PDB file of all heavy atoms in Angstrom:
ATOM      1  N   GLY A 136      -1.822  18.142  -1.880  1.00  0.00           N
ATOM      2  CA  GLY A 136      -0.536  18.776  -1.920  1.00  0.00           C
ATOM      3  C   GLY A 136       0.578  17.805  -1.854  1.00  0.00           C
ATOM      4  O   GLY A 136       1.733  18.195  -1.566  1.00  0.00           O
ATOM      5  N   LEU A 137       0.300  16.561  -2.183  1.00  0.00           N
ATOM      6  CA  LEU A 137       1.342  15.545  -2.131  1.00  0.00           C
ATOM      7  C   LEU A 137       1.479  14.923  -3.525  1.00  0.00           C
ATOM      8  O   LEU A 137       0.484  14.448  -4.120  1.00  0.00           O
ATOM      9  CB  LEU A 137       0.999  14.389  -1.173  1.00  0.00           C
ATOM     10  CG  LEU A 137       0.853  14.803   0.314  1.00  0.00           C
ATOM     11  CD1 LEU A 137       0.408  13.612   1.153  1.00  0.00           C
ATOM     12  CD2 LEU A 137       2.137  15.360   0.860  1.00  0.00           C
ATOM     13  N   ARG A 138       2.697  14.931  -4.061  1.00  0.00           N
ATOM     14  CA  ARG A 138       2.964  14.382  -5.416  1.00  0.00           C
ATOM     15  C   ARG A 138       3.335  12.904  -5.266  1.00  0.00           C
ATOM     16  O   ARG A 138       4.155  12.516  -4.462  1.00  0.00           O
ATOM     17  CB  ARG A 138       4.176  15.148  -5.975  1.00  0.00           C
ATOM     18  CG  ARG A 138       4.691  14.597  -7.336  1.00  0.00           C
ATOM     19  CD  ARG A 138       5.861  15.401  -7.846  1.00  0.00           C
ATOM     20  NE  ARG A 138       5.475  16.758  -8.207  1.00  0.00           N
ATOM     21  CZ  ARG A 138       5.173  17.135  -9.412  1.00  0.00           C
ATOM     22  NH1 ARG A 138       5.251  16.266 -10.433  1.00  0.00           N
ATOM     23  NH2 ARG A 138       4.778  18.355  -9.659  1.00  0.00           N
ATOM     24  N   THR A 139       2.740  12.082  -6.125  1.00  0.00           N
ATOM     25  CA  THR A 139       3.029  10.673  -6.161  1.00  0.00           C
ATOM     26  C   THR A 139       4.298  10.464  -6.969  1.00  0.00           C
ATOM     27  O   THR A 139       4.284  10.675  -8.160  1.00  0.00           O
ATOM     28  CB  THR A 139       1.880   9.882  -6.751  1.00  0.00           C
ATOM     29  OG1 THR A 139       0.644  10.030  -5.953  1.00  0.00           O
ATOM     30  CG2 THR A 139       2.168   8.355  -6.807  1.00  0.00           C
ATOM     31  N   LEU A 140       5.338   9.997  -6.292  1.00  0.00           N
ATOM     32  CA  LEU A 140       6.546   9.722  -7.031  1.00  0.00           C
ATOM     33  C   LEU A 140       6.605   8.287  -7.565  1.00  0.00           C
ATOM     34  O   LEU A 140       7.340   8.035  -8.542  1.00  0.00           O
ATOM     35  CB  LEU A 140       7.767   9.912  -6.051  1.00  0.00           C
ATOM     36  CG  LEU A 140       8.061  11.288  -5.563  1.00  0.00           C
ATOM     37  CD1 LEU A 140       9.188  11.250  -4.550  1.00  0.00           C
ATOM     38  CD2 LEU A 140       8.426  12.216  -6.705  1.00  0.00           C
ATOM     39  N   GLY A 141       5.897   7.438  -6.967  1.00  0.00           N
ATOM     40  CA  GLY A 141       5.857   6.015  -7.468  1.00  0.00           C
ATOM     41  C   GLY A 141       4.826   5.220  -6.751  1.00  0.00           C
ATOM     42  O   GLY A 141       4.312   5.576  -5.672  1.00  0.00           O
ATOM     43  N   TYR A 142       4.410   4.120  -7.376  1.00  0.00           N
ATOM     44  CA  TYR A 142       3.449   3.169  -6.839  1.00  0.00           C
ATOM     45  C   TYR A 142       4.201   1.919  -6.395  1.00  0.00           C
ATOM     46  O   TYR A 142       4.826   1.293  -7.260  1.00  0.00           O
ATOM     47  CB  TYR A 142       2.350   2.854  -7.823  1.00  0.00           C
ATOM     48  CG  TYR A 142       1.440   3.989  -8.192  1.00  0.00           C
ATOM     49  CD1 TYR A 142       1.509   4.661  -9.362  1.00  0.00           C
ATOM     50  CD2 TYR A 142       0.443   4.346  -7.267  1.00  0.00           C
ATOM     51  CE1 TYR A 142       0.641   5.722  -9.674  1.00  0.00           C
ATOM     52  CE2 TYR A 142      -0.484   5.372  -7.592  1.00  0.00           C
ATOM     53  CZ  TYR A 142      -0.352   6.033  -8.779  1.00  0.00           C
ATOM     54  OH  TYR A 142      -1.196   7.077  -9.107  1.00  0.00           O
ATOM     55  N   GLY A 143       4.130   1.511  -5.182  1.00  0.00           N
ATOM     56  CA  GLY A 143       4.691   0.255  -4.730  1.00  0.00           C
ATOM     57  C   GLY A 143       3.588  -0.764  -4.560  1.00  0.00           C
ATOM     58  O   GLY A 143       2.480  -0.633  -5.192  1.00  0.00           O
ATOM     59  N   GLU A 144       3.813  -1.770  -3.818  1.00  0.00           N
ATOM     60  CA  GLU A 144       2.837  -2.903  -3.684  1.00  0.00           C
ATOM     61  C   GLU A 144       2.813  -3.440  -2.257  1.00  0.00           C
ATOM     62  O   GLU A 144       3.854  -3.755  -1.696  1.00  0.00           O
ATOM     63  CB  GLU A 144       3.283  -3.998  -4.704  1.00  0.00           C
ATOM     64  CG  GLU A 144       2.435  -5.239  -4.659  1.00  0.00           C
ATOM     65  CD  GLU A 144       2.812  -6.237  -5.636  1.00  0.00           C
ATOM     66  OE1 GLU A 144       2.674  -5.974  -6.874  1.00  0.00           O
ATOM     67  OE2 GLU A 144       3.333  -7.349  -5.257  1.00  0.00           O
ATOM     68  N   THR A 145       1.596  -3.500  -1.749  1.00  0.00           N
ATOM     69  CA  THR A 145       1.358  -4.294  -0.544  1.00  0.00           C
ATOM     70  C   THR A 145       0.988  -5.742  -0.813  1.00  0.00           C
ATOM     71  O   THR A 145       1.220  -6.642  -0.043  1.00  0.00           O
ATOM     72  CB  THR A 145       0.265  -3.595   0.313  1.00  0.00           C
ATOM     73  OG1 THR A 145       0.765  -2.333   0.768  1.00  0.00           O
ATOM     74  CG2 THR A 145      -0.058  -4.417   1.574  1.00  0.00           C
ATOM     75  N   GLY A 146       0.398  -5.934  -2.026  1.00  0.00           N
ATOM     76  CA  GLY A 146       0.177  -7.279  -2.472  1.00  0.00           C
ATOM     77  C   GLY A 146      -1.271  -7.762  -2.434  1.00  0.00           C
ATOM     78  O   GLY A 146      -2.125  -7.031  -1.909  1.00  0.00           O
ATOM     79  N   PHE A 147      -1.512  -8.886  -3.041  1.00  0.00           N
ATOM     80  CA  PHE A 147      -2.842  -9.469  -2.994  1.00  0.00           C
ATOM     81  C   PHE A 147      -3.169 -10.022  -1.656  1.00  0.00           C
ATOM     82  O   PHE A 147      -2.402 -10.694  -1.012  1.00  0.00           O
ATOM     83  CB  PHE A 147      -2.917 -10.576  -4.015  1.00  0.00           C
ATOM     84  CG  PHE A 147      -3.149 -10.133  -5.409  1.00  0.00           C
ATOM     85  CD1 PHE A 147      -2.087 -10.172  -6.358  1.00  0.00           C
ATOM     86  CD2 PHE A 147      -4.391  -9.652  -5.887  1.00  0.00           C
ATOM     87  CE1 PHE A 147      -2.255  -9.774  -7.677  1.00  0.00           C
ATOM     88  CE2 PHE A 147      -4.525  -9.236  -7.183  1.00  0.00           C
ATOM     89  CZ  PHE A 147      -3.457  -9.291  -8.043  1.00  0.00           C
TER      90      PHE A 147
END
Side-chain angles (χ1 to χ4, degrees):
L137 299 176
R138 174 181 292 264
T139 300
L140 293 175
Y142 292 104
E144 175 177 295
T145 294
F147 280 105

